[in-house]
Amino acid sequence: MAKDSGQDGAGKFRLNTVSRELLVAVSGLVLVLFILVHLAGNLILFRGPDAFNAYSQHLHELGLLLAAIRAGLIAAFVLHVVMTAWLVLANRAARTTRYAVQRTMGNTNFVKQTMIYSGLLILVFVLLHLYDFTFIDKAGPYSVVEGRNTGQSLGLYGIVWNAFSNPLHSLLYIVAMAALGLHFSNAVSTIWVTLGVLSDAATAKANLAARVLGAAIAVAFSAIPLYVLAMTHLRGV
Amino acid sequence: MAEKTISITLRVWRQDGPQAEGRFASYHAKDIPADLSFLEMLDIVNAGLEKAGADPIAFEHDCREGICGSCGAVVNGHAHGPQRATTLCQLYMRHFNDGDVITIEPFRAKAFPLIKDLVVDRSAFDRIIQAGGYISVKTGTAPDAHAQLVPKPKAEQAMDAAACIGCGACVAACPNASASLFTAAKISQLCKLPQGDPERKRRVSAMIRQMDHEGFGSCSKHYECQAACPKEIKVANIATMNREFLRTLLPGE
Ligand code: HEM
Ligand code: FES
């Protein structure tokens, strides 16, 4: 009777669910830090092409360090996706017969129930985003903004400008940032339980702080496409 | 003064056995005194079924005073019904209205296989306890109660966790059918006390391993378990369990 022995499977190395949760939380925390730094960098765009391109230049001058940071980020991202997918599949399998009537006691919500979907949207977005701004020739034809800099390349700034002057492209980014904001707010409110550092008394405050932070991040990231749209379509710059 | 009564319609999950096909059956319960408990209402319905030569609805119960953890079903989508901090046996019909349609389903989880109608096999919980939810002590005369000092806040946390009656409502209410709240409560109640300290590392690993092995899901912090728990066990215990597990990763003493 394998089921009766608590030792079944002992000796075989298999990540238990708590370890998987912890890996989701730790990799998620790395991604959260990255998002904050990335946002700070992006906002330099408001200081004009020179400042923004100089920032991009500085990043690339980091050389090996940049390569190491990128490798770490990719590792965290892959770990996060693999572990969450594994957890979600196991969680689905844990209830094979659904309830005919299921009501919430008022604690779960849409955001909590759609973590995997907001996550998958972010995943698709990240691939598009890398294609848009990372793998592109920063001095190529797409970096020239019509009517600015007398037909010369505006570097990464020009590329961003051209991308976001397309309303559909901007909309896609804004939707992705909304998903990120939601994912982020729930993640930051629950991660403290996962990491075992939260008492009940602090929960309400952590939830509020996480929501404010999630909303702030979505709005701040979206400010860039909105700014470019406003400049190109309203002021015709 | 005439007793207040209500008439209701029940939609009850009927299933003859683990392998049998289940279905909802409707029953009309007329003139049920509002001061009866939910299980007493089911007793009346069952008496009627037996009189008519039909198979009564199988449901589990024992103490009927909210302390044993035997009873439980999902009533109108809520484990143990809509009343907070209440077991099904302590839920009274006065919380329902005349003419209500009440849907009654068994706790649903792969790790709680259905036996009959509303009765599920919760022995997975017993195996989680067997894996480490105990302390090893020398038998003999009981030690003096004050032989080991326990700080008051710790004692209270341990007592709060120990209020768990193992009914399984946390699993039933969890979107992931996770047993994290149950397992965490059993770990907390021991690890907060000096008596539970010597075996703490082995305990947390073994109990989590068994919890996974039984096929329960993991915790996504929906907090539905805490809301459904008749003993108001808190999700903070899950933070304690995770912290206990993290300790096992530290280099050994
Ligand atoms: C940069 C983007 C991302 C950030 C900042 C982030 C952050 C986080 C954090 C911190 C958590 C942990 C919450 C906890 O421990 O309670 C989490 C959970 C989760 N993440 Fe992400 N994540 C990102 C991308 C993704 C992607 C691409 C996926 C897609 C598969 C995903 C799927 C999930 C899921 C399903 C959970 C919940 C796991 C559970 O059920 O407990 N995330 N996220
Ligand atoms: S029958 Fe004992 S708790 Fe309900």
Side-chain angles (χ1 to χ4, degrees), chain B residues 16-248:
Chain B
D16 291 339
Q19 309 307 333
E21 185 104 23
R23 79 216 168 274
F24 280 104
S26 281
Y27 304 103
H28 295 287
K30 280 206 193 65
D31 304 325
I32 300 291
D35 288 333
L36 289 195
S37 75
F38 201 86
L39 299 190
E40 286 164 338
M41 179 276 292
L42 286 180
D43 290 338
I44 291 182
V45 172
N46 273 347
L49 284 173
E50 281 178 70
K51 218 168 171 183
D55 199 16
I57 303 160
F59 64 91
E60 235 182 304
H61 59 100
D62 188 6
C63 70
R64 296 208 176 194
E65 52 187 29
I67 53 169
C68 74
S70 298
C71 65
V74 171
V75 175
N76 284 345
H78 296 298
H80 286 302
Q83 189 83 357
R84 291 214 177 222
T86 307
T87 56
L88 195 57
C89 60
Q90 286 294 300
L91 178 67
Y92 287 89
M93 295 313 292
R94 53 180 170 269
H95 298 296
F96 295 91
N97 297 314
D98 197 48
D100 276 0
V101 178
I102 303 173
T103 303
I104 313 173
E105 300 173 77
F107 286 174
R108 300 264 189 218
K110 201 183 80 187
F112 285 169
L114 193 139
I115 297 173
K116 188 173 197 283
D117 298 340
L118 303 175
V119 180
V120 297
D121 176 0
R122 287 168 290 181
S123 56
F125 273 11
D126 299 339
R127 291 186 291 271
I128 293 175
I129 297 289
Q130 282 160 14
Y134 53 81
I135 56 164
S136 307
V137 286
K138 278 202 188 119
T139 52
T141 358
D144 286 337
H146 61 285
Q148 248 170 335
L149 298 179
V150 182
K152 179 90 163 77
K154 291 267 176 197
E156 293 207 330
Q157 287 166 359
M159 279 305 280
D160 285 349
C164 169
I165 54 176
C167 65
C170 45
V171 173
C174 174
N176 301 342
S178 170
S180 294
L181 192 67
F182 167 79
T183 309
K186 299 304 173 191
I187 289 170
S188 280
Q189 106 190 21
L190 298 174
C191 78
K192 306 260 187 207
L193 299 177
Q195 291 88 339
D197 188 60
E199 290 159 301
R200 64 194 307 166
K201 284 194 172 180
R202 201 198 64 77
R203 173 182 307 119
V204 63
S205 300
M207 290 179 77
I208 291 171
R209 191 196 308 125
Q210 191 64 32
M211 173 180 89
D212 289 352
H213 182 70
E214 298 290 346
F216 293 108
S218 58
C219 176
S220 299
K221 292 80 177 181
H222 293 275
Y223 283 78
E224 288 294 309
C225 54
Q226 174 177 307
C229 177
K231 299 297 153 186
E232 304 187 287
I233 306 286
K234 298 286 183 288
V235 167
N237 287 296
I238 298 178
T240 301
M241 170 170 77
N242 287 12
R243 197 161 57 236
E244 280 293 296
F245 181 71
L246 277 168
R247 287 173 71 124
T248 66

Side-chain angles (χ1 to χ4, degrees), chain A residues 99-121:
Chain A
Y99 290 108
V101 184
Q102 188 166 24
R103 294 218 175 91
T104 163
M105 287 284 221
N107 297 270
T108 186
N109 55 37
F110 176 75
V111 177
K112 284 180 186 290
Q113 287 159 9
T114 54
M115 282 301 273
I116 186 67
Y117 302 113
S118 54
L120 287 174
L121 218 145

Side-chain angles (χ1 to χ4, degrees), chain A residues 112-193:
Chain A
K112 284 180 186 290
Q113 287 159 9
T114 54
M115 282 301 273
I116 186 67
Y117 302 113
S118 54
L120 287 174
L121 218 145
I122 296 168
L123 176 62
V124 172
F125 164 77
V126 165
L127 298 178
L128 172 81
H129 183 57
L130 291 176
Y131 171 80
D132 275 350
F133 300 137
T134 305
F135 298 132
I136 198 164
D137 176 5
K138 310 264 181 326
Y142 205 58
S143 65
V144 179
V145 179
E146 236 178 277
R148 280 180 75 170
N149 208 20
T150 58
Q152 300 293 304
S153 164
L154 263 179
L156 186 60
Y157 184 93
I159 289 168
V160 173
W161 192 274
N162 282 328
F164 289 151
S165 53
N166 176 346
L168 265 182
H169 205 139
S170 278
L171 183 69
L172 208 94
Y173 268 66
I174 293 168
V175 168
M177 288 309 102
L180 177 65
L182 295 177
H183 194 92
F184 195 99
S185 66
N186 182 52
V188 172
S189 75
T190 59
I191 193 169
W192 314 113
V193 174

